[in-house]
């Protein structure tokens, strides 16, 4: 029977895969319709898009910014991965951002961006995003479109049910996907059951966006897949899907699919917050990095933390309940009113919708069906609001519009299905190309979604674009959802593997977007704020070059007296104060990336010259008509040489 199940699954999957690629006919039969569609996504040259969309970069570790409806990629923001394009994670100022308790990590796997909220509406201050592999949460500023802060999540493993924001950005949550020993210890894997735990971490956000771990909830050792906050009446609660409630440790595709129902965990975080504020919880050892980029010093710092507060949910009665949900649910989505909590069982064709108000009643009436490790399990029927029957195959994620409709993605049947909240009837279905993961409606995770567009993010690209060898970029699709039927408007390729995305009306962001770093606010400790401050200093075998750049020269542009074996720090300040005039800095043989330096900004790279000679450096960004002249030389002498240190520009 077990075997039958997985063969059946594979069979359906291959059927769908085979049918990918038969759609070229319908694609080309657009005619008058197609030109009308083209107009609806057309953003004329020089015009701006209506929305910013932030798509996770998945295994690129970064966040990509697109305009909607055009689908034009506007920027890639480096977050968890080194980014040679601008030197993030290479420059001395930014390497601390990638420090962890495991040391420097140049890569990450980013899944779920979420935009900060005030009163349940997107406020456009920050984007948060999780890293799965080495559990971390990042905060990206929507003034600078840069990563400002990364906090590591100790005791977590596969930080997946993250990084969703409560309705006043009180907390960002980070839930473990893998259950693990908590805290980590050396025990036999087959001793997992009952011994592993599933910590859920609540990160408090202060007025300036600063992140700090408030508490970790020590949950039973299930896998915590996704989560969403309550809103409206359910504000104060958080909901997490679980799978592998079997606590299987091997061949999970079979062994973690045995139970007819897993759970949605309902967590009353306000209750736990109160408990913690009254001195509840236990401090335990936890080593984790907290990395903060300071825009004034333009430098990131790492603080190693060593304690975290842990809360056993059994010590806070009334704080955590389990709602049975069929069958290995993935997505966990809350509608804009906060009343409905949707769990999509990956192995079910039905969607299960729980009611928040029924849940409260069931708790009051103690309608329990036993408990799991001391946490009450609510009776399934008691919290059930309804079921969407036969939506499709392999339901994953649900988003909402502003008219009481929900939109659920189905991976196996490769479609998105629109259905009505309250009546649970299916209203429309449209194919996706192909095998959709998440979908996203701007404002979807808030009280006020916009009902105009939806994008789907698809795992398989196949024939949608010109072939580019075996490796293809993923693909997104834009649908118009303003009418009764969804209408496919546009395909656009995406970078990495976008899982989730978040989008916001451009008006809430664009006026605040910074244009330059002001030189008079540059507090970088190694800045040279004008050419008279430029210099070269030797300290043993360390040489510090304090350099400036302006169209179209470096100061200094000739340096002599450097020796093989020296460690040369180039501290380079861009003196420009005009929007969009960066300069680059590249040094032959440097074992690092270039620096791309914005107006008013200072950045540092290290060069360890290995060969005697005269070695050039140059500006990498075509910044002016005389960009090609923006260059200089460093003379490198033998390690024992007596050539004096000197530097100059035009002989001075
Ligand atoms: Cu469904 Cu990581 Cu949200 Cu991918 S997850 S799809
Ligand atoms: Cu500066 Cu090119």
């Amino acid at each position: 029977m077990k075997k039958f199940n997985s063969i059946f699954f594979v069979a359906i999957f291959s059927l769908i895969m085979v049918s990918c690629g038969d759609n070229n006919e319908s694609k080309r039969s657009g005619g008058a319709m197609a030109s009308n569609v083209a107009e609806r996504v057309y953003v004329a040259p020089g015009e701006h898009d209506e929305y910013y969309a932030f798509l996770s970069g998945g295994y690129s570790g970064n966040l990509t910014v697109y305009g909607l409806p055009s689908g034009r990629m506007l920027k890639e923001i480096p977050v968890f991965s080194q980014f040679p394009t601008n030197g993030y994670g290479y420059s001395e100022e930014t390497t601390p951002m990638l420090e962890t308790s495991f040391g420097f990590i140049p890569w990450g796997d980013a899944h779920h961006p979420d935009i900060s909220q005030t009163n349940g509406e997107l406020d456009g201050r920050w984007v948060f995003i999780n890293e799965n592999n080495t559990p971390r949460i990042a905060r990206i500023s929507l003034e600078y479109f840069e990563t400002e802060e990364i906090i590591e999540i100790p005791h977590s493993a596969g930080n997946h049910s993250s990084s969703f924001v409560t309705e006043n950005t009180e907390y960002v949550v980070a839930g473990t996907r893998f259950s693990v020993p908590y805290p980590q210890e050396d025990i036999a894997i087959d001793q997992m059951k009952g011994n592993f735990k599933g910590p859920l971490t609540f990160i408090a956000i202060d007025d300036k966006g600063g992140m700090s771990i408030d508490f970790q909830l020590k949950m039973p050792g299930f896998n915590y897949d996704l989560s969403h906050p309550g809103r409206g009446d359910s504000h104060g609660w958080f909901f997490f899907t679980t799978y592998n409630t079997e606590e299987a440790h091997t061949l999970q595709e079979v062994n973690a699919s045995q139970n007819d129902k897993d759970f949605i965990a309902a967590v009353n975080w306000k209750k736990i917050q109160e408990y913690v504020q009254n001195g509840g919880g236990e401090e335990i050892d936890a080593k984790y990095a907290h990395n903060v980029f300071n825009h004034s010093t333009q430098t990131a710092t790492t603080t190693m933390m060593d304690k975290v507060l842990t809360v056993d949910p059994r010590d806070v009665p009334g704080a955590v309940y389990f709602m049975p949900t069929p069958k290995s649910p993935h997505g966990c989505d809350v509608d804009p009113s906060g009343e409905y909590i949707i769990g999509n069982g990956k192995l079910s064709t039905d969607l299960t919708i729980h009611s928040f108000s029924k849940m409260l009643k069931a708790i009051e009436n103690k309608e329990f069906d036993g408990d799991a490790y001391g946490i009450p399990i609510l009776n399934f029927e008691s919290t059930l609001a309804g079921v969407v029957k036969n939506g499709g195959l392999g339901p994953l994620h649900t988003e909402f519009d502003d008219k009481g409709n929900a939109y659920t993605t189905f991976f196996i049947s490769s479609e998105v299905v629109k259905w009505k909240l309250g009546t649970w009837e299916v209203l429309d279905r449209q194919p996706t190309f192909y095998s959709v993961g998440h979908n996203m409606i701007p404002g979807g995770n808030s009280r006020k979604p916009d009902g105009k567009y939806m994008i789907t993010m698809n795992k398989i690209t196949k024939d949608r674009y010109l072939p580019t060898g075996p490796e293809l970029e993923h693909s997104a699709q834009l649908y118009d959802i303003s009418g009764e039927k969804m209408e496919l408007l546009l395909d656009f390729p995406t970078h990495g593997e976008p899982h989730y995305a978040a989008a916001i009306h451009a008006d809430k962001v664009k006026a605040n977007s910074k244009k330059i770093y002001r030189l008079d606010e540059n507090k970088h400790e190694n800045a040279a704020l004008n050419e008279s401050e430029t210099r070269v200093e030797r300290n043993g075998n360390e040489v510090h070059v304090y350099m400036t750049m302006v169209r179209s020269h470096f100061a200094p542009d000739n340096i002599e007296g450097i020796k093989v074996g020296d460690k040369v720090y180039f501290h380079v300040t861009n003196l420009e104060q005009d929007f969009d005039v960066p300069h680059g800095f590249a040094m032959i043989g440097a074992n690092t990336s270039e620096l791309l330096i914005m107006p008013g900004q200072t950045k540092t790279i290290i060069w360890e010259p290995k060969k005697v000679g005269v070695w050039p450096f140059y500006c990498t960004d075509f910044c002016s008509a005389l960009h090609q002249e923006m260059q200089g030389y460093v003379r490198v002498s033998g390690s024992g040489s007596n050539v004096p240190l000197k530097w100059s520009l035009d002989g001075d």
Side-chain angles (χ1 to χ4, degrees):
M1 180 59 194
K2 280 181 187 172
K3 202 159 199 179
F4 173 78
N5 266 345
S6 54
I7 289 171
F8 176 69
F9 202 80
V10 169
I12 294 180
F13 188 77
S14 10
L15 211 75
I16 303 297
M17 291 300 97
V18 170
S19 66
C20 287
D22 292 346
N23 291 283
N24 285 341
E25 273 315 299
S26 59
K27 242 182 351 196
R28 292 192 185 116
S29 61
M33 226 334 258
S35 68
N36 167 272
V37 166
E39 272 169 30
R40 281 144 67 193
V41 299
Y42 183 67
V43 178
E47 300 286 311
H48 291 173
D49 278 289
E50 196 178 342
Y51 294 93
Y52 285 99
F54 301 93
L55 274 61
S56 86
Y59 41 66
S60 83
N62 293 338
L63 183 70
T64 42
V65 188
Y66 290 79
L68 296 181
S70 73
R72 298 182 296 193
M73 186 176 138
L74 307 176
K75 187 174 188 178
E76 179 172 0
I77 303 173
V79 185
F80 299 112
S81 293
Q82 283 181 306
F83 195 59
T85 306
N86 69 5
Y88 178 87
Y90 293 94
S91 69
E92 292 302 293
E93 289 77 7
T94 54
T95 47
M97 294 301 281
L98 303 183
E99 281 301 332
T100 74
S101 64
F102 301 90
F104 179 81
I105 294 190
W107 171 86
D109 182 17
H111 280 225
H112 304 122
D114 205 13
I115 297 171
S116 56
Q117 299 188 20
T118 305
N119 297 323
E121 291 184 45
L122 306 190
D123 59 24
R125 289 180 292 170
W126 312 296
V127 179
F128 297 90
I129 190 166
N130 62 320
E131 204 273 272
N132 280 320
N133 183 53
T134 304
R136 287 171 281 175
I137 300 287
R139 181 175 56 80
I140 292 121
S141 154
L142 290 185
E143 273 179 55
Y144 289 90
F145 284 67
E146 283 177 13
T147 306
E148 283 185 341
E149 189 172 357
I150 295 180
I151 193 163
E152 188 180 351
I153 311 299
H155 305 141
S156 180
N159 172 36
H160 193 261
S161 38
S162 324
S163 51
F164 302 101
V165 175
T166 57
E167 85 174 17
N168 289 300
T169 320
E170 295 95 337
Y171 286 111
V172 167
V173 303
T176 197
R177 170 176 156 203
F178 306 107
S179 59
V180 281
Y182 177 61
Q184 276 290 359
E185 59 174 324
D186 174 12
I187 66 176
I189 297 169
D190 65 8
Q191 297 304 299
M192 166 184 185
K193 199 162 185 157
N195 289 323
F196 286 16
K197 294 284 176 278
L200 306 179
T201 304
F202 283 71
I203 301 153
I205 309 300
D206 70 24
D207 292 351
K208 300 224 158 61
M211 300 191 281
S212 57
I213 296 179
D214 205 24
F215 58 86
Q216 286 194 315
L217 199 55
K218 183 179 173 177
M219 294 286 281
F222 310 145
N223 291 3
Y224 295 82
D225 205 4
L226 276 150
S227 67
H228 264 96
R231 53 182 64 99
D233 286 345
S234 58
H235 177 58
W237 290 76
F238 226 104
F239 304 93
F240 297 83
T241 42
T242 68
Y243 66 106
N244 194 18
T245 52
E246 295 86 350
E247 296 178 77
H249 58 83
T250 184
L251 193 62
Q252 299 213 356
E253 65 171 326
V254 174
N255 295 330
S257 305
Q258 298 302 306
N259 291 348
D260 193 39
K261 296 191 178 67
D262 295 284
F263 302 124
I264 287 180
V267 174
N268 185 333
W269 57 259
K270 276 212 172 140
K271 230 182 194 134
I272 301 167
Q273 186 185 40
E274 217 178 86
Y275 172 76
V276 163
Q277 283 170 356
N278 290 325
E282 184 196 348
E283 262 205 346
I284 61 169
D285 289 341
K287 195 175 172 211
Y288 62 102
H290 183 201
N291 308 328
V292 180
F293 187 84
N294 178 325
H295 282 290
S296 170
T297 62
Q298 304 186 1
T299 302
T301 50
T302 297
T303 310
M304 279 296 169
M305 314 294 287
D306 54 13
K307 289 269 184 276
V308 81
L309 193 68
T310 184
V311 174
D312 187 324
R314 291 168 301 195
D315 295 341
V316 196
V320 184
Y321 298 91
F322 286 130
M323 295 193 281
T325 304
K327 171 151 199 179
S328 299
H330 184 55
C332 183
D333 298 290
V334 178
D335 86 305
S337 75
E339 167 63 7
Y340 298 120
I341 302 116
I342 292 123
N344 301 332
K346 299 189 289 289
L347 302 178
S348 169
T349 54
D350 298 340
L351 310 180
T352 305
I353 297 98
H354 298 282
S355 152
F356 177 72
S357 50
K358 285 182 81 174
M359 182 192 91
L360 290 185
K361 274 204 203 92
I363 292 170
E364 203 183 301
N365 300 332
K366 300 200 166 27
E367 293 165 38
F368 302 139
D369 278 344
D371 69 281
Y373 296 103
I375 294 172
I377 300 172
L378 289 158
N379 176 269
F380 176 63
E381 298 292 335
S382 303
T383 65
L384 190 67
V387 174
V388 176
K389 288 276 182 202
N390 299 319
L393 291 175
L396 292 185
H397 299 285
T398 302
E399 291 271 293
F400 307 91
D401 68 13
D402 54 348
K403 302 176 202 77
N405 301 306
Y407 301 75
T408 300
T409 57
F410 291 83
F411 178 82
I412 300 175
S413 53
S414 191
E415 60 188 336
V416 55
V417 171
K418 174 180 178 181
W419 51 276
K420 187 116 207 108
L421 286 160
T423 70
W424 325 120
E425 61 190 312
V426 170
L427 301 174
D428 186 25
R429 60 178 69 237
Q430 291 293 330
T432 61
F433 306 96
Y434 307 94
S435 298
V436 57
H438 278 270
N439 55 341
M440 184 277 292
I441 292 172
N445 173 36
S446 78
R447 285 201 209 181
K448 290 259 172 70
D450 286 359
K452 196 166 177 184
Y453 299 116
M454 170 179 69
I455 62 168
T456 60
M457 285 153 279
N458 305 298
K459 301 301 179 188
I460 291 172
T461 302
K462 294 265 184 190
D463 55 8
R464 299 305 283 182
Y465 311 105
L466 288 173
T468 55
E471 186 181 344
L472 307 173
E473 291 284 28
H474 282 217
S475 180
Q477 265 140 5
L478 178 79
Y479 296 80
D480 182 332
I481 56 164
S482 60
E484 296 208 338
K485 301 285 175 193
M486 297 173 272
E487 214 181 327
L488 177 59
L489 302 180
L490 181 73
D491 272 15
F492 58 96
T494 54
H495 189 53
E497 184 189 2
H499 289 262
Y500 196 34
I504 183 168
H505 202 280
D507 289 346
K508 288 187 171 172
V509 172
K510 66 180 179 189
N512 300 328
S513 186
K514 288 274 185 224
K515 293 194 158 64
I516 58 164
Y517 295 84
R518 287 180 45 168
L519 267 181
D520 58 2
E521 292 173 359
N522 180 335
K523 300 279 181 288
H524 190 294
E525 60 175 347
N526 296 313
L529 296 176
N530 55 61
E531 287 188 5
S532 67
E533 292 180 13
T534 60
R535 64 203 185 274
V536 181
E537 291 171 358
R538 176 180 286 284
N539 180 6
N541 72 335
E542 262 186 20
V543 178
H544 290 266
V545 179
Y546 302 86
M547 181 182 267
T548 60
M549 53 201 341
V550 74
R551 280 163 289 182
S552 298
H553 63 268
F554 293 95
D557 66 359
N558 279 207
I559 300 169
E560 302 194 10
I562 304 295
K563 295 184 266 191
V564 171
D566 280 349
K567 192 169 181 183
V568 182
Y569 290 76
F570 290 98
H571 308 288
V572 190
T573 302
N574 180 348
L575 297 180
E576 307 283 351
Q577 290 288 268
D578 287 343
F579 188 25
D580 200 20
V581 189
H583 295 286
F585 179 84
M587 183 73 228
I588 192 169
N591 300 105
T592 181
S593 76
E594 68 155 346
L595 298 173
L596 187 71
I597 307 169
M598 296 301 129
Q601 196 178 30
T602 304
K603 282 186 175 175
T604 303
I605 65 167
I606 294 175
W607 178 54
E608 296 178 81
K610 295 179 181 69
K611 296 177 187 170
V612 166
V614 177
W615 304 104
F617 56 88
Y618 72 99
C619 169
T620 50
D621 185 295
F622 207 109
C623 50
S624 68
L626 297 174
H627 152 79
Q628 214 62 351
E629 282 74 8
M630 195 164 170
Q631 62 188 57
Y633 289 111
V634 180
R635 175 181 168 191
V636 177
S637 309
S639 52
S641 105
N642 295 322
V643 176
L645 197 60
K646 65 176 190 186
W647 61 96
S648 62
L649 171 69
D650 200 17
D652 289 344

